[in-house]
Each structure stands twice: as C-alpha cells, then as structure tokens.
Amino acid sequence: MSYTFNAQTRTEIGKGSSRRLRHAGQVPAVIYGAGQEPVSIKIAHKDVINLQLNDDFYTSDLTIVLDGKEIKVRVQAVQRHAFKPMIEHFDFKFA
C-alpha cells in the first residue's frame, strides 16, 4: 500500500515553535539522509494519525508532497505522547 500526504517547510525551529505547531494540530518532523541537507517540515496531525496505525506504514516507502515536489521517505523514528493518542514528532530518512 502506498501512503501520500502533504507537508510544508518549517522556518521556525525549536521547542517553543514545536509546541505552537502541536497546539495548532500540526506535527513537527525532519527529513534527513546521507549526502543531503536535513529538511524541517510540518504535517497535519489528522493526516497521519490513522495512517500510522498500519504496520506497513513503518516498513514501506512513503511519499511526502513538500511544496509541490514529491519526496520518497521511510519512517526512522516516531515520538508519541505519553498517554494521549497523539504523535509528537517524526524522523524520516530519504528513500
């Protein structure tokens, strides 16, 4: 199964801006990989909360549409809230 979702580039980085994003229903994330610069992004929480329940979400290539350009990535790490059903942060690697 293929997964595709939209993302926007983040310009503000840090704990305060990440908290503001989470309160606004967004998930801060980063895409990194060998030979490429890391890219900080934000994803709508409603777009990924149900997708991440599938096991193949973590083992297959995902497509992120970032500012009109499609990027193939794989999930590297996920940070979840301690007791709420919320995603706090994603780490993606370029596929």
Side-chain angles (χ1 to χ4, degrees), residues 59-73:
T59 57
S60 62
D61 287 349
L62 312 174
T63 304
I64 295 179
V65 180
L66 180 63
D67 301 327
K69 189 173 99 175
E70 291 188 356
I71 301 171
K72 293 282 188 188
V73 298

Side-chain angles (χ1 to χ4, degrees), residues 25-64:
Q26 301 282 319
V27 178
V30 65
I31 306 172
Y32 56 89
Q36 297 187 16
E37 289 292 319
V39 179
S40 296
I41 62 172
K42 58 184 176 183
I43 305 165
H45 190 267
K46 65 179 179 61
D47 291 346
V48 293
I49 189 64
N50 291 328
L51 294 180
Q52 59 91 29
L53 297 175
N54 301 324
D55 290 336
D56 59 343
F57 180 80
Y58 300 99
T59 57
S60 62
D61 287 349
L62 312 174
T63 304
I64 295 179

Side-chain angles (χ1 to χ4, degrees), residues 13 17 54-55 65 87 92:
I13 298 173
S17 66
N54 301 324
D55 290 336
V65 180
I87 304 293
F92 297 108

